Amino acid sequence: LGGTKLLQHTSGEQPKLLQPPGGGAVAVVLRTGFASSQGKLMRTILFASERVTGSDRETLAFILFLLVFAVAAATHVLLEGLADASRSRYKL
C-alpha cells in the first residue's frame, strides 16, 4: 500500500506452487500506523464523535422509494418472462 515501509526481509526457498506470480513477494503486515492516509481514515471512522442519523419519516420515505423501484423491476421481469413462450415458467 502507499506509504508502507519494508523494515526487514529474509530470503528463502519456496516450492514453485507457492511462489507469487510475476516475481512478486508475499508480505505479512504486523502493525499499521495511524499516521498514514489509510490510518487517518480509520481513525476518523473509529473515533467519530458525530453520528449520522435520519428521522423516522425520512427513513420511511427512502425505503418506500426503493420499494417502488423494486416492485416496478419485478413486474417488468415477470411481464417480459410471461411474454416469451420459450422461457421456463418455473424460473420466473
Side-chain angles (χ1 to χ4, degrees):
L1 297 175
T4 304
K5 295 178 183 174
L6 183 63
L7 297 178
Q8 178 182 3
H9 74 87
T10 58
S11 61
E13 293 295 322
Q14 291 182 353
K16 183 81 169 163
L17 184 64
L18 296 178
Q19 291 180 356
V26 177
V28 177
V29 176
L30 300 177
R31 183 177 52 167
T32 60
F34 278 132
S36 66
S37 60
Q38 292 91 358
K40 288 178 186 175
L41 175 63
M42 287 304 298
R43 188 171 56 245
T44 303
I45 292 170
L46 292 174
F47 304 116
S49 60
E50 183 181 331
R51 297 286 181 224
V52 177
T53 60
S55 67
D56 291 337
R57 174 177 269 162
E58 199 175 77
T59 305
L60 179 63
F62 180 67
I63 291 174
L64 289 176
F65 177 75
L66 291 177
L67 181 65
V68 166
F69 279 102
V71 169
T75 303
H76 174 72
V77 169
L78 181 64
L79 293 177
E80 291 294 320
L82 291 174
D84 188 3
S86 65
R87 187 171 284 184
S88 170
R89 302 290 184 252
Y90 176 75
K91 291 184 179 181
L92 289 176

